[in-house]
Amino acid sequence: MENSRSLHGGHLALLWAVLSAFYVGGGWLGLHLVPNTHGVFIAPASGIGIAAIMIFVVQAFPGVLLGTMLIAALQDLPPVATVGVIFAGITEAALAGLIARKVFRDNLVMSRTADIIRFLLILAPFSTAIAATFVTVTGMVGGVFVPGQFQHAF
């Protein structure tokens, strides 16, 4: 994409470090603000990941991946559920961020109300539903949820 930022060397490493720190901060905030007995709510971090992918495209992936790995490590989850949290975090950011770049093209600011509504009603729920499915299924496989809790967990 023509308006993506291109970073190299130390600037790229700094992007990854700052992005993963913000991602972990957002994830920690989400885990502690919502009384969730299962401990997988990371919505503030997801928004940070989506914004980073929208702005920096592929260059943001390592920072988002590192952030999701650190968030998963902060939770007391079985290995299968941990992989699900990591995969869900990177998938949600990638899907929403990359699709938004295609849909909004040069208008990543989303200054029009119609752009914001399109993002909130189409892109965000789509990517979130896919991420929630990964987390729920791997959580059930890992023993975090029992099959009867699927609707509550999802």
Side-chain angles (χ1 to χ4, degrees), residues 50-127:
I50 291 168
I53 299 291
M54 285 176 66
I55 296 168
F56 296 102
V57 197
V58 178
Q59 290 184 327
F61 280 132
V64 174
L65 179 61
L66 179 60
T68 58
M69 292 171 69
L70 292 171
I71 286 294
L74 290 174
Q75 302 178 58
D76 187 25
L77 298 171
V80 172
T82 300
V83 170
V85 168
I86 294 168
F87 191 71
I90 193 73
T91 302
E92 181 174 20
L95 283 174
L98 294 175
I99 292 171
R101 286 191 64 83
K102 287 285 188 190
V103 170
F104 299 111
R105 301 186 196 275
D106 295 327
N107 188 19
L108 291 178
V109 177
M110 290 191 247
S111 56
R112 298 180 337 197
T113 304
D115 293 338
I116 296 168
I117 291 171
R118 253 192 318 188
F119 182 80
L120 292 175
L121 294 179
I122 299 169
L123 298 175
F126 169 71
S127 62

